[in-house]
Amino acid sequence: MTTPAAVIVDAAAYAQAVEDAVEAAAAYYAGGTSPLDDDAYDRLVRGIAAYEAVHPEQVLSGSPTGKVAGGAVEGDVPHSAAMLSLDNVFSAEEFTAWTESLARRVGHEVTRFHVGPKLDGLAIAARYTAGRLTRLITRGDGTAGEDVSHAIGTIEGLPEQLAEPVTVEVRGEVLMTNAQFEYANEVRTQHGGQPFANPRNAAAGTLRAKERVYTVPMTFFGYGLLPLPATDPTLTERLNTSAHGDLMRLVAEFGVHTSARTDIPDTVAETVEQVLARVAEIAAVRAGLPFGIDGIVIKADLAADQQAAGSGSRAPRWAIAYKLPAVEKITRLLEVEWNVGRTGIIAPRGVLEPVVIDGSTITYATLHNPADITRRDLRLGDQVMVHRAGDVIPRIQAPVAHLRTGDEQPIAFPETCPRCGSAIDRSEERWRCAQGRNCHLVASLSYAAGRDQLDIEGLGATRVVQLVDAGLVTDLAGLFALTREQLLGLDRMGETSTDNLLAAIAKARQQPLSRVLCALGVRGTGRSMSRRIARHFATMDAVRAADAEAMQQVEGIGVEKAPSIVAELAELAPLIERLAAAGVNMTEPGATPPSPADAAAPDGEASPGEAPAAAPEAGPLAGMTVVVTGAMTGALEKLSRNEMNELIERAGGRSSSSVSKKTTLVVAGEGAGSKRAKAEQLGVRLATPDEFGALVAGFHGGVTDRPGEPV
Ligand code: IVH
């Protein structure tokens, strides 16, 4: 599959595109710092080629089309034979068409193909004289390259001495394995350098760097073996007439690393089908390889077929690259989230500006641990190279440091566990909540005890940690079984605090069902959803009896959410039963359970996913949608926003957080701003906190107050 070429509409856009492409290619070959990812560069060059095909008279001499390396580089060491590039195909159809044109050129069908990985690095020529590695040359413009002999000794798989004293040129790809890349960036940033964006840029930059105080290893994969003018004539003859597969075996025997020693060794195929099957096999294991490949190279294996096919100025006609989809794109790192796993591991995750890689939209990428962030010198707002292959979770390779604007911000690391608030164990690279597996328990208990749930005063995170550490509480129901003696046995627990806590726990038993539900922390149900469920079903028994269809009758619960809520409640059944046994209230004051007829509304009355209109509630706010804004005063002063919303719903209304034409009343306290202005603009009725307090007087009260009973 290939992404569309860039669309170039006129001569000015064409000139700009040529300039951008040349600049990108030059930057890339100079030090691995292209501002375009491979896919973007490829699209640009294909757009340029498409424009040139229609306007051949406008082709600029600097155009990158038809040139090796986009015409970006020149060197001063002439190649013994041109170092060519490869033409590309992107699909089985294009590949089949290529084999047909190959057959025409050769004069018969080709029945021996050599199939191997297209390694994602840089081409180099390694000259051996009497078995000794004497010179390393980059591809350059294909006719002459740059001498990079200083890199001899830093490239694994490219021995300084061959097993035989032969004079030959070995050609192949220099790359960094994923591990070498990680190491290179670690060393580089430690020395105050900027990280490389990906392994290929890292290999390009490292290969050309002459004076470095540190060396970072790279890896060589041989894919070609040629005679030099000084080569023994018998060997020259052998090299010129051997099948490619035989040359690869020979080069391996000399001691050079080839793909034979990887999970995807070169193979020989006799038919198009066999080639395509091998392409599929290589593509399937790509994500798990320890190095990057960007396609599969298919060559006519026999020397006679190669000679009959010949070469163009840019690429041989006897070989083709079957490109695999790009697995890397550049996008922006917007945020870093810290998630705590089941065992308490605190793992950072990057939130990205959405980017499409190989057909999927990527919005998150793993960052392994905090040290990883430091090693890569990542910052918020950075343009980052994101890698995604197969079903593997996308990862951030590195920032594209030369695209920095100076506005990037450091990434803040958490001081305490982001889930439960406990200390963090930083003794290993992977940070862990000091609570380990108990972190989830501490977090869920702290949440349940919170002001908007069971509102247990005196049960903050520290106290919860103490209870969990002492083994006194293993689930929410355990809180209600705590004894005076147990509490007194804890550090910093005197008689007064013990009695206060026990009283707060006793009071929590009387909380309405909505808060008990909320305390259970069912995924996808926060405070207002819990209130809607509780008001709809009125009792925990009715909630638990509801199937997905009945659950969908609750406003805001659609076809997707309903089954997961039902399933989670079923999972929580033992805990709910323990809570009920501990005397926790399981009813919603003022609500009436739905009649069986409501629960089984026939199809057509409500379309799936859309909640039917709630039954009109009794109370002064019946049928009203109320928005609260600004600070409350008077009788309502102490109420949290959640408590205000509870009050509105107890009084028969519906609470909302935004003002629209559907809003019936806006309660505007001190400091109310835009919501008040919007209400005025839309002509929505406004009330002061006092006016509102008077309206709902009979419904305002503590947890034990019954609706209708004035305070
Ligand atoms: S054969 C004359 N084999 O891909 C034949 N090239 O996009 C050209 N490459 O310039 C080389 N893996 O740098 C060949 N197994 C492989 C390769 C390979 C990677 C590179 C090479 C070439 C480029 C073309």
Side-chain angles (χ1 to χ4, degrees), residues 128-133 158-166 254-256:
Y128 283 92
T129 311
R132 197 156 183 83
L133 179 54
L158 192 63
E160 289 179 54
Q161 188 72 51
L162 292 182
E164 310 256 346
V166 286
F254 288 163
V256 173

Side-chain angles (χ1 to χ4, degrees), residues 84-86 116-119 122-123 139 173 223 297 299 316 318-319:
L84 298 179
S85 187
L86 288 169
K118 184 172 186 317
L119 304 146
L122 300 100
R139 184 169 67 178
E173 204 81 349
Y223 55 63
V297 181
K299 298 166 183 158
W318 47 266

Side-chain angles (χ1 to χ4, degrees), residues 68 82-88 114 116-124 139 171-173 221-224 244 259 266 294-299 311 314-316 318-319 321 323:
V68 169
M83 258 185 113
L84 298 179
S85 187
L86 288 169
D87 286 329
N88 298 324
H114 184 270
K118 184 172 186 317
L119 304 146
D120 195 7
L122 300 100
I124 56 165
R139 184 169 67 178
R171 289 185 178 177
E173 204 81 349
F221 286 78
Y223 55 63
H244 188 69
S259 59
D266 292 354
D294 59 343
I296 291 99
V297 181
I298 301 117
K299 298 166 183 158
S311 291
R314 200 192 82 95
W318 47 266
K323 293 280 274 195

Side-chain angles (χ1 to χ4, degrees), residues 101 159 335 393 435 499 536 558 568 612:
S101 74
E335 226 183 293
I393 302 170
Q435 287 298 317
D499 290 337
H536 182 86
E568 215 170 316

Side-chain angles (χ1 to χ4, degrees), residues 253-340:
E253 277 167 28
F254 288 163
V256 173
H257 180 243
T258 66
S259 59
R261 300 233 314 268
T262 68
D263 286 349
I264 43 169
D266 292 354
T267 52
V268 168
E270 291 174 354
T271 62
V272 169
E273 290 68 36
Q274 286 177 10
V275 171
L276 294 176
R278 183 63 182 157
V279 166
E281 272 171 20
I282 295 178
V285 298
R286 180 191 193 185
L289 295 173
F291 50 85
I293 64 169
D294 59 343
I296 291 99
V297 181
I298 301 117
K299 298 166 183 158
D301 190 43
L302 302 179
D305 288 350
Q306 294 185 1
Q307 276 143 22
S311 291
S313 64
R314 200 192 82 95
R317 299 204 176 88
W318 47 266
I320 195 83
Y322 191 123
K323 293 280 274 195
L324 292 176
V327 288
E328 278 185 347
K329 282 276 181 75
I330 296 173
T331 189
R332 193 176 295 278
L333 175 64
L334 301 174
E335 226 183 293
V336 172
E337 290 178 354
W338 298 85
N339 297 314
V340 189

